[in-house]
Amino acid sequence: MFTNYIEVDIDKIQRNIENIKKISKNKNICAVVKANAYGLGATVIAKYIENQVSYFAVANFLEAKNLRIAGITKPIMILGFVSVEEANECVDYDIEIPIYDLSYAERINKSIVGDLKVHIALDTGHSRLGFREFEFDRIIKLKQLERLKIKGAFSHFSTADEEDKTFTQEQYEKFERIRKKLDDQFNIEIFHIANSAASIYHDLISDMDRIGIAMYGIYPSDYLRERKDIRLEQAFLLKSRVSFVKEINEGDSVSYGRAFKAKSRMKIATIPIGYADGYFRAFSNIGEVLINGKISKVCGRVCMDQIMVDVSDIDCKIEDEVILYPDIYEEANKIVTIPYELMTSFDMRLTRVYVKDGSIVHIDNYLGELYEN
Ligand SMILES: *Cc1c(COP(=O)(O)O)cnc(C)c1O
């Protein structure tokens, strides 16, 4: 019996990828599994989807190395900063890195032993990483860095999940202008720009889509969720159990700071999950959970390891299942964040249980135990 766990449905992830392929103009998928696959567990998921995708992307070197150690053989690219020392290791592990600064690229080129595959990062309006259009003369100088093998060029959208397509279109047009100039100068295999939102909502042609959130069955924004251009199946649930049930009297307070006081006699259940597990303290007095099919509200402050909820109208007992985030979009909105942040906050203390064809195929827990069948 698991107490606090994330149930991950492998079949749903696989179906989401196939459905994205059906509606996107681009047939090659780069599975974005940064931040431990948005909290769901990168190595297990990567193994199950490896034959559906062309590429994997992560945020940093250790995430990439972790995939290689786990046996992933498809190309892996890092999307964020890679130090000179890490770049050296990337050569050994055949990990690809972004290049966006000429002098740092020169330092990497000087330091590494062997060839390193790189992707030119282009800033088309997100202002995070990347060469800008007016710096084309600097991009050209990358040619002189003989150890850097330029395999790709990419950019990133800042508003592809919003109704107004104007800025995304501007970014795409800028990307296309640079692409044409790059094609004259380099022999670049893959141009890639689309994230989940762009591949669902925009008809853009490039060589590959970088899909993160949609793969896990979450729409990139409330707007795209309402549009339903694609059917995505949420591939995970965060679950816990009732640890204790009791009645309290009118005027009794609940949890730290006495931020909740009972207005009448009521029934309270305790649940052994808290902010240390990634259930934000901001849900104090406003979070909702699902117990035996009914919505129950958090009473008082979220503790480090436990919460109390109102079960006055719910039949429940110790061990009954609790689903946190009955509607992850609504819960995220309540605390002014997005599902991305709720997911990537899932702590190591939560067991990950992977289900395929209705049975458990893998379990990862705090002790690093691994059961495979
Ligand atoms: C995180 C990220 C993605 C994936 O974004 P989703 O919205 O999860 O699809 C794609 N590209 C880059 C550069 C990213 O940082």
Side-chain angles (χ1 to χ4, degrees), residues 30 32 34 38 57-59 79-80 126 128 154-157 192-199 209-216 220 340:
C30 169
V32 180
K34 62 192 178 189
Y38 294 38
V58 291
L79 299 167
H126 194 241
R128 194 167 65 181
F154 73 108
S155 191
H156 192 45
F157 289 126
H192 47 109
I193 185 163
N195 53 6
S196 294
S199 75
D209 287 353
R210 299 187 308 268
I211 305 294
I213 198 89
M215 211 168 49
Y216 312 111
Y340 291 78

Side-chain angles (χ1 to χ4, degrees), residues 282-346:
F283 285 117
S284 297
N285 274 324
I286 56 174
E288 284 178 339
V289 305
L290 197 68
I291 303 177
N292 296 333
K294 287 191 168 157
I295 293 289
S296 163
K297 200 162 177 189
V298 173
C299 294
R301 299 223 175 114
V302 172
C303 307
M304 186 186 292
D305 318 295
Q306 304 182 68
I307 54 174
M308 275 66 82
V309 298
D310 178 3
V311 289
S312 299
D313 302 320
I314 303 175
D315 257 340
C316 66
K317 57 181 190 312
I318 291 182
E319 280 195 353
D320 280 359
E321 184 175 276
V322 179
I323 294 174
L324 287 295
Y325 307 141
D327 181 330
I328 197 167
Y329 304 89
E330 262 182 41
E331 295 301 297
N333 281 333
K334 273 182 199 169
I335 65 163
V336 203
T337 185
I338 49 178
Y340 291 78
E341 192 181 22
L342 298 187
M343 293 173 68
T344 54
S345 301
F346 291 157

Side-chain angles (χ1 to χ4, degrees), residues 71-321:
I72 296 298
T73 59
K74 283 268 164 82
I76 299 172
M77 81 166 289
I78 295 172
L79 299 167
F81 177 69
V82 178
S83 69
V84 171
E85 296 76 19
E86 289 168 341
N88 250 304
E89 278 200 71
C90 285
V91 175
D92 304 331
Y93 284 101
D94 193 17
I95 292 166
E96 305 170 17
I97 75 164
I99 292 292
Y100 47 82
D101 181 276
L102 181 60
S103 42
Y104 206 73
E106 285 165 352
R107 277 179 60 190
I108 290 175
N109 183 65
K110 222 184 272 171
S111 144
I112 57 175
V113 181
D115 288 347
L116 179 60
K117 293 172 192 151
V118 305
H119 296 246
I120 301 171
L122 302 167
D123 176 1
T124 54
H126 194 241
S127 297
R128 194 167 65 181
L129 295 178
F131 291 97
R132 282 161 293 168
E133 199 173 12
F134 65 80
E135 296 174 290
F136 199 78
D137 56 323
R138 297 176 82 77
I139 300 178
I140 297 292
K141 294 207 174 95
L142 294 173
K143 272 191 180 177
Q144 291 151 20
L145 308 181
E146 71 290 349
R147 297 199 178 106
L148 303 188
K149 303 297 167 199
I150 298 168
K151 188 175 171 193
F154 73 108
S155 191
H156 192 45
F157 289 126
S158 51
T159 58
D161 60 339
E162 294 176 11
E163 178 172 9
D164 186 346
K165 293 186 170 183
T166 320
F167 194 67
T168 304
Q169 198 55 39
E170 278 173 33
Q171 283 195 268
Y172 180 66
E173 280 159 19
K174 200 178 272 185
F175 184 69
E176 281 298 285
R177 280 200 302 273
I178 306 172
R179 182 181 66 76
K180 289 198 186 93
K181 283 161 85 180
L182 285 172
D183 268 341
D184 293 339
Q185 298 285 340
F186 298 89
N187 190 8
I188 295 179
E189 204 183 307
I190 319 159
F191 287 89
H192 47 109
I193 185 163
N195 53 6
S196 294
S199 75
I200 294 170
Y201 181 48
H202 298 261
D203 289 324
L204 307 173
I205 314 277
S206 73
D207 300 315
M208 180 167 81
D209 287 353
R210 299 187 308 268
I211 305 294
I213 198 89
M215 211 168 49
Y216 312 111
I218 297 295
Y219 293 88
S221 62
D222 287 330
Y223 175 68
L224 292 186
R225 183 192 184 201
E226 277 150 28
R227 280 183 57 91
K228 293 236 182 314
D229 298 281
I230 184 174
R231 191 172 96 89
L232 295 174
E233 296 174 86
Q234 184 176 327
F236 64 92
L237 281 176
L238 173 57
K239 294 182 175 179
S240 184
R241 289 181 189 279
V242 172
S243 59
F244 185 47
V245 185
K246 64 172 173 297
E247 295 205 324
I248 63 172
N249 291 315
E250 182 186 342
D252 284 353
S253 60
V254 178
S255 196
Y256 292 114
R258 310 187 69 197
F260 180 89
K261 288 199 177 105
K263 291 195 179 72
S264 57
R265 200 169 159 75
M266 62 188 294
K267 195 166 62 163
I268 294 283
T270 302
I271 301 166
I273 197 165
Y275 59 78
D277 299 289
Y279 189 73
F280 284 70
R281 191 167 175 276
F283 285 117
S284 297
N285 274 324
I286 56 174
E288 284 178 339
V289 305
L290 197 68
I291 303 177
N292 296 333
K294 287 191 168 157
I295 293 289
S296 163
K297 200 162 177 189
V298 173
C299 294
R301 299 223 175 114
V302 172
C303 307
M304 186 186 292
D305 318 295
Q306 304 182 68
I307 54 174
M308 275 66 82
V309 298
D310 178 3
V311 289
S312 299
D313 302 320
I314 303 175
D315 257 340
C316 66
K317 57 181 190 312
I318 291 182
E319 280 195 353
D320 280 359
E321 184 175 276

